[in-house]
Amino acid sequence: MKKILITGGAGFIGSHVVRLFVNQYPEYQVYNLDKLTYAGNLENLVDVDSKSNYHFVKGDIVDADFINQLFEKENFDGVIHMAAESHVDRSITNPMEFIFTNVVGTVNLLNAARKCWKGREEGKRFYHISTDEVYGALGDTGSFKETTPYSPHSPYSASKASSDHFVRAYHDTYGLPTVLSNCSNNYGPNQFPEKLIPLFINNIKHNKSLPVYGKGINVRDWLYVEDHAHAIDLIFHQGKDGSTYNIGGNNEWRNIDLIKKLIEIMDRKLGRPVGTSLALITYVTDRAGHDLRYAIDASKLRSELGWEPTIRFDEGFEKTVDWYLANEKWLDNVTSGSYQDYYRKMYGE
Ligand code: NAD
Ligand code: TYD
């Protein structure tokens, strides 16, 4: 494989995947296509942007003409598709944006790849990155397998589920060489501070209240972002054509327990008496359609491709907090301007 298109490479997970591919595969030309929405930030990639095998293309996957022209011009060998609207709360207030980018955008890419690769699919690969949220919510036991029926509850997960179905349909109908993975919640550096962990780090730092939805008893399975990036590398190169792989950290936390652990680490690092920031916890109205529990069974990825998460949660969580505290300028830049309007609308402060 020579020319790889990574979509959404300026976002949270995308930037870690771009970095890994640019550094690990100097023989590849890596194209990062990103619209640079509020969640896309080229500051995430300052350490790779002068490398000769890295190319940035600003563009919108919803624009079919633009996408077709780009494929005709560059004749990509592989696609890793990560561009998406990714925040559940935003999908509740503005679902259409999610349908355009996540559904129409994905189908535009599938059409362009299909046209470009027609009759010479050998060695090509379209890899679609998805989420465990498509499977819906679990009760107190069990975990999602690749065969678990889809049952999305939020406009975000419904749009991702729809895009997953299109990817499989293009494989089965047109023989497009596809592979797909569904991952659990990621955490780590460079995540936009509207998602739980970076939002709460920023709020603790500024002594702002911590809005816990409902009773804080919802459970998420957390994976360090670099472990996800390594799984993506493995699946892209070795995953079986037409297959789906679940990726997860085997690391379930109730939100309230995770928040208390975060408070303990933050108080220690900020030199506050441990427990001081517990007073910031504020229980607020629950998220509509809030899934109770996600848990991933990643045994297929482990047995077929030998993948294991390598970063223990304790270590990854400390590293994450350290990164946000050390990168004040990054945090200040992304939380200025339109972020303030978003925050006021969402949390009324
Ligand atoms: P993110 O919101 O941080 O980044 C998304 C990127 O896509 C941004 O750089 C944004 O500018 C770009 N983008 C958005 N709309 C676009 C468009 N129309 N055209 C081109 N680019 C556009 O998201 P993330 O958390 O890094 O998630 C990346 C992918 O991984 C998504 O597909 C998401 O569904 C999936 N995923 C995320 C998680 C998680 O915990 N964050 C877990 C599992 C799967
Ligand atoms: P989030 O980071 O938005 O990820 P997702 O909804 O994709 O799992 O939220 C993680 C969990 O934290 C989820 O159960 C919702 C909860 N949450 C809060 O309690 N308060 C908040 O302000 C946010 C953003 C999330």
Side-chain angles (χ1 to χ4, degrees):
M1 292 238 182
K2 290 283 184 297
K3 263 192 193 184
I4 312 291
L5 175 69
I6 298 181
T7 70
F12 167 45
I13 302 170
S15 61
H16 290 271
V17 173
V18 165
R19 178 175 303 103
L20 189 149
F21 271 71
V22 167
N23 289 331
Q24 192 146 306
Y25 302 104
E27 71 277 22
Y28 290 0
Q29 294 298 318
V30 176
Y31 287 72
N32 170 16
L33 165 65
D34 201 295
K35 185 182 172 186
L36 299 181
T37 67
Y38 76 94
N41 184 354
L42 289 176
E43 267 186 78
N44 293 344
L45 289 165
V46 280
D47 55 325
V48 294
D49 67 7
S50 59
K51 303 240 167 156
S52 59
N53 65 334
Y54 172 73
H55 312 271
F56 176 67
V57 183
K58 186 172 186 304
D60 188 343
I61 60 170
V62 178
D63 182 345
D65 291 342
F66 162 74
I67 293 296
N68 286 327
Q69 280 162 22
L70 183 68
F71 272 73
E72 264 165 41
K73 179 165 168 250
E74 301 297 351
N75 197 4
F76 299 112
D77 297 297
V79 177
I80 302 177
H81 172 38
M82 280 181 290
E85 286 293 336
S86 69
H87 186 36
V88 174
D89 294 323
R90 285 187 190 248
S91 82
I92 294 168
T93 45
N94 186 11
M96 287 314 289
E97 208 56 55
F98 286 69
I99 294 160
F100 291 134
T101 287
N102 298 0
V103 186
V104 178
T106 299
V107 177
N108 282 341
L109 288 163
L110 290 166
N111 284 334
R114 186 184 156 221
K115 212 163 121 198
C116 186
W117 297 343
K118 202 170 173 63
R120 41 185 211 96
E121 288 87 1
E122 191 65 30
K124 311 288 183 207
R125 169 146 281 185
F126 189 108
Y127 181 7
H128 177 62
I129 306 297
S130 192
T131 167
D132 61 355
E133 304 194 23
V134 296
Y135 297 121
L138 291 164
D140 291 336
T141 57
S143 54
F144 299 132
K145 299 186 184 15
E146 287 80 0
T147 50
T148 302
Y150 276 26
S151 180
H153 296 130
S154 72
Y156 164 65
S157 53
S159 68
K160 291 296 290 188
S162 170
S163 64
D164 293 7
H165 289 318
F166 274 106
V167 171
R168 295 195 181 99
Y170 271 58
H171 176 270
D172 296 351
T173 308
Y174 306 115
L176 193 74
T178 61
V179 69
L180 203 152
S181 60
N182 297 83
C183 189
S184 63
N185 287 60
N186 284 214
Y187 71 98
N190 307 99
Q191 188 171 29
F192 192 78
E194 63 185 358
K195 305 278 173 79
L196 181 74
I197 293 177
L199 175 73
F200 279 30
I201 291 175
N202 195 37
N203 283 14
I204 295 170
K205 190 175 138 201
H206 292 105
N207 268 311
K208 284 173 78 171
S209 70
L210 305 175
V212 179
Y213 298 163
K215 297 192 174 96
I217 54 168
N218 303 70
V219 174
R220 297 293 182 263
D221 175 359
W222 294 94
L223 179 70
Y224 193 67
V225 62
E226 284 178 5
D227 275 328
H228 188 188
H230 284 118
I232 289 173
D233 178 15
L234 203 59
I235 293 167
F236 181 68
H237 289 102
Q238 295 177 37
K240 220 172 103 212
D241 181 50
S243 235
T244 295
Y245 296 89
N246 278 354
I247 311 171
N250 199 13
N251 176 43
E252 289 180 51
W253 285 81
R254 283 197 320 163
N255 289 342
I256 193 64
D257 299 330
L258 184 92
I259 292 160
K260 285 181 178 163
K261 184 166 175 69
L262 179 63
I263 286 172
E264 183 205 307
I265 299 173
M266 287 290 291
D267 280 347
R268 179 159 41 82
K269 297 212 182 261
L270 294 171
R272 298 176 185 166
V274 171
T276 310
S277 304
L278 285 170
L280 299 174
I281 290 178
T282 311
Y283 291 92
V284 299
T285 310
D286 207 355
R287 173 188 277 173
H290 197 174
D291 289 332
L292 178 65
R293 177 170 163 263
Y294 302 142
I296 277 276
D297 176 349
S299 55
K300 177 179 174 187
L301 183 57
R302 192 167 53 239
S303 63
E304 272 192 24
L305 303 184
W307 178 85
E308 291 277 1
T310 58
I311 294 156
R312 279 188 306 104
F313 186 64
D314 277 357
E315 181 198 339
F317 213 25
E318 290 264 343
K319 259 168 84 160
T320 301
V321 171
D322 286 340
W323 187 87
Y324 287 96
L325 293 179
N327 287 275
E328 235 175 24
K329 195 164 156 277
W330 183 94
L331 205 51
D332 289 347
N333 286 350
V334 299
T335 53
S336 62
S338 58
Y339 179 84
Q340 308 286 347
D341 295 334
Y342 161 79
Y343 198 91
R344 264 190 300 273
K345 261 188 225 141
M346 188 68 210
Y347 299 109
E349 281 174 42

